[in-house]
């Protein structure tokens, strides 16, 4: 029997194969255009590192409903591709054919095969030793940059809005929204119970949120027009900052925690490796009863890495845990993965600590639904 730990954990770094399921609802009459676009797309995807196979299916009950499944060596190569500019451009021809989409990602836990004259047998492979324990919460973030000098005004706008009603529908509820600012970069982290896509669509439709988005439009470095579906889709696709790892010491988070976030500047091409290292550090912290880290979420896209951490003690009590540093060997690896800019090579631990302290993000607002 497989024993489950009480630790809450989700991760893209368990090394297991990944199965991606994409549900699509096509516009009437768009089937042939969709097939042509898919044929071109699958030929391109076949050359993406880590891609193993894909399959296209059409519903036998509703011809407008389609299903694309793909298999990958592991989650990191898929995430590197799906969050890239190459992917944004590659899937653009599909948008005119598709009315609605939903993407689901699964670690392959077990697999069986049928022999010609034998009963099903388990397939040998790199499968997780045991299932992870979840808490029913989906975590996601959006990030974008604003024009230098506009940060005070943007912070004022983002802190002053009225929260929308938490209930999205019978199965989905907004639990928490936290906004941080680091330099001219904004990070908005959300926690949702239920369907993340339904929650994000609900948020985008709320008048109070639309007013906020319109108010910050003049200050964005990347122009957008949220009244244009294609412009809005491109903006939010590029702004997506997925959660690649989450861990909590227990199923229930203590009430007296403080929330912090750090923006880690990664060297070019090192974002995924940096996120993986921080995930390993926080897994170790979650197993240490003396650690003040109650929960941690690592968000990563390309070389943008953000770590959200809930602490049971003041940050100054255990600075290393707050900064995500545990042990000299890990510290050496961390130095090599960070883009230190003018800070130099961070030759000693004190220099690294000072550098990471400057990675601390400023909390703009932290809002919870009344019953979360």
């Amino acid at each position: 029997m497989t024993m489950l730990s009480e630790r809450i954990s989700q991760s893209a770094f368990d090394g297991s194969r990944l199965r991606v399921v994409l549900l699509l609802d096509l516009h009437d009459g768009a089937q042939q255009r969709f097939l042509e676009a898919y044929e071109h797309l699958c030929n391109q995807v076949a050359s993406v590192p880590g891609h193993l196979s894909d399959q296209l299916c059409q519903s036998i009950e509703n011809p407008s409903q389609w299903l694309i499944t793909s298999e990958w060596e592991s989650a990191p190569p898929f995430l590197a591709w799906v969050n890239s500019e190459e992917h944004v451009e590659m899937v653009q021809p599909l948008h005119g054919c598709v009315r609605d989409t939903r993407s689901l990602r699964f670690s392959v836990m077990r697999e069986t095969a049928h022999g010609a004259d034998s009963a099903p047998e388990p397939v040998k492979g790199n499968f997780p030793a045991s299932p992870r324990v979840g808490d029913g919460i989906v975590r996601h973030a959006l990030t974008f940059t604003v024009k230098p000098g506009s940060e005070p005004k943007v912070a004022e706008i983002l802190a002053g809005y009225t929260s929308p009603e938490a209930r999205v529908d019978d199965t989905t509820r907004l639990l928490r929204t936290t906004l941080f600012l680091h330099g001219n970069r904004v990070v908005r982290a959300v926690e949702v119970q239920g369907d993340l896509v339904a929650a994000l669509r609900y948020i985008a439709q709320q008048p109070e949120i639309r007013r906020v988005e319109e108010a910050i439009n003049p200050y964005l470095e990347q122009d957008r027009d949220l009244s244009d579906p294609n412009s809005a889709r491109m903006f939010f696709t590029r702004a997506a900052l997925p959660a690649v790892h989450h861990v909590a010491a227990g199923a229930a988070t203590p009430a007296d925690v403080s929330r912090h976030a750090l923006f880690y500047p990664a060297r070019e091409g090192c974002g995924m490796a940096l996120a993986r290292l921080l995930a390993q550090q926080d897994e170790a912290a979650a197993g240490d009863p003396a650690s003040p880290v109650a929960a941690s979420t690592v968000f990563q896209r390309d070389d943008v890495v953000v770590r959200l951490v809930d602490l049971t003690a003041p940050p100054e009590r255990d600075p290393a845990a707050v900064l995500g540093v545990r042990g000299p060997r890990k510290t050496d690896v961390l130095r090599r993965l960070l883009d230190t800019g003018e800070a130099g090579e961070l030759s000693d631990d004190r220099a690294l600590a000072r550098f990471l302290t400057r990675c601390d993000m400023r909390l703009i607002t932290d809002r919870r639904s009344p019953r979360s």
Side-chain angles (χ1 to χ4, degrees):
M1 178 183 296
T2 300
M3 299 300 293
L4 299 183
S5 166
E6 291 185 358
R7 180 186 302 182
I8 301 300
S9 181
Q10 68 181 75
S11 184
F13 302 127
D14 61 9
S16 62
R17 279 182 288 134
L18 181 74
R19 180 66 53 82
V20 180
V21 178
L22 184 62
L23 304 170
L24 306 102
D25 184 21
L26 301 190
H27 291 296
D28 295 338
Q31 279 80 1
Q32 188 58 42
R33 283 191 297 120
F34 171 75
L35 271 176
E36 293 171 358
Y38 171 79
E39 290 290 346
H40 182 66
L41 174 64
C42 71
N43 289 334
Q44 293 177 300
V45 177
S47 63
V48 175
H51 175 266
L52 298 177
S53 65
D54 55 64
Q55 194 174 52
L56 177 66
C57 309
Q58 184 179 23
S59 170
I60 62 173
E61 298 168 333
N62 181 352
S64 294
Q65 293 179 347
W66 292 67
L67 170 70
I68 299 175
T69 63
S70 61
E71 191 164 329
W72 298 74
E73 291 177 356
S74 61
F78 167 76
L79 293 173
W81 173 70
V82 80
N83 293 322
S84 68
E85 285 294 319
E86 178 187 13
H87 173 261
V88 172
E89 296 174 4
M90 199 180 293
V91 300
Q92 185 67 16
L94 295 178
H95 292 320
C97 308
V98 177
R99 181 186 294 113
D100 192 23
T101 63
R102 186 182 182 194
S103 178
L104 304 170
R105 295 96 183 256
F106 300 89
S107 291
V108 179
M109 296 295 297
R110 300 289 185 270
E111 188 173 7
T112 57
H114 289 266
D117 300 310
S118 62
E121 294 184 359
V123 175
K124 295 181 180 180
N126 188 21
F127 300 110
S130 61
R132 294 178 178 271
V133 177
D135 56 2
I137 298 175
V138 184
R139 296 166 175 87
H140 189 68
L142 297 170
T143 185
F144 51 86
T145 55
V146 297
K147 297 173 182 176
S150 68
E151 296 91 347
K153 182 60 178 177
V154 170
E156 178 185 346
I157 295 171
L158 293 176
Y161 71 95
T162 302
S163 298
E165 171 62 37
R167 182 182 182 276
V168 176
D169 54 36
D170 290 342
T171 59
T172 301
R173 180 178 177 81
L174 305 176
L175 298 180
R176 191 168 185 175
T177 300
T178 316
L179 284 105
F180 292 91
L181 191 62
H182 184 272
N184 69 329
R185 178 172 294 279
V186 176
V187 172
R188 175 190 290 146
V190 297
E191 296 178 5
V192 173
Q193 185 179 56
D195 187 340
L196 175 64
V197 174
L200 294 178
R201 288 176 177 168
Y202 167 81
I203 292 171
Q205 294 169 356
Q206 301 312 299
E208 54 269 43
I209 301 301
R210 295 179 72 91
R211 284 193 291 270
V212 169
E213 300 293 353
E214 291 171 1
I216 65 173
N217 273 345
Y219 306 108
L220 297 177
E221 284 197 314
Q222 183 183 52
D223 291 335
R224 68 181 183 185
D225 178 6
L226 296 184
S227 64
D228 174 24
N230 188 56
S231 176
R233 182 189 303 111
M234 295 295 284
F235 178 85
F236 287 111
T237 298
R238 290 189 169 105
L241 190 62
V244 294
H245 187 270
H246 172 78
V247 65
T253 302
D256 56 340
V257 298
S258 59
R259 174 157 286 193
H260 305 265
L262 294 96
F263 170 76
Y264 297 82
R267 290 185 187 274
E268 185 176 356
C270 293
M272 183 69 74
L274 177 56
R276 189 195 303 270
L277 176 64
L278 294 172
Q280 292 170 350
Q281 304 279 63
D282 286 328
E283 284 284 344
D288 181 0
S291 172
V293 177
S296 168
T297 307
V298 178
F299 301 93
Q300 181 261 332
R301 177 194 176 96
D302 297 330
D303 292 330
V304 176
V305 181
V306 173
R307 176 171 165 267
L308 192 68
V309 58
D310 291 332
L311 302 174
T312 58
E316 57 272 16
R317 185 84 56 84
D318 189 350
V322 177
L323 301 176
V325 179
R326 293 177 67 91
R329 292 182 60 187
K330 298 293 186 182
T331 300
D332 290 341
V333 176
L334 186 58
R335 286 195 190 96
R336 295 195 295 270
L337 297 176
L338 289 169
D339 182 0
T340 58
E342 297 179 358
E345 293 302 319
L346 304 181
S347 57
D348 57 49
D349 289 351
R350 289 184 179 179
L352 176 62
R354 287 195 299 269
F355 177 80
L356 290 176
T357 299
R358 296 200 297 272
C359 296
D360 192 40
M361 304 189 77
R362 178 160 65 98
L363 178 65
I364 302 302
T365 183
D366 184 19
R367 300 165 182 244
R368 305 190 196 196
S369 63
R371 289 179 290 176
S372 68

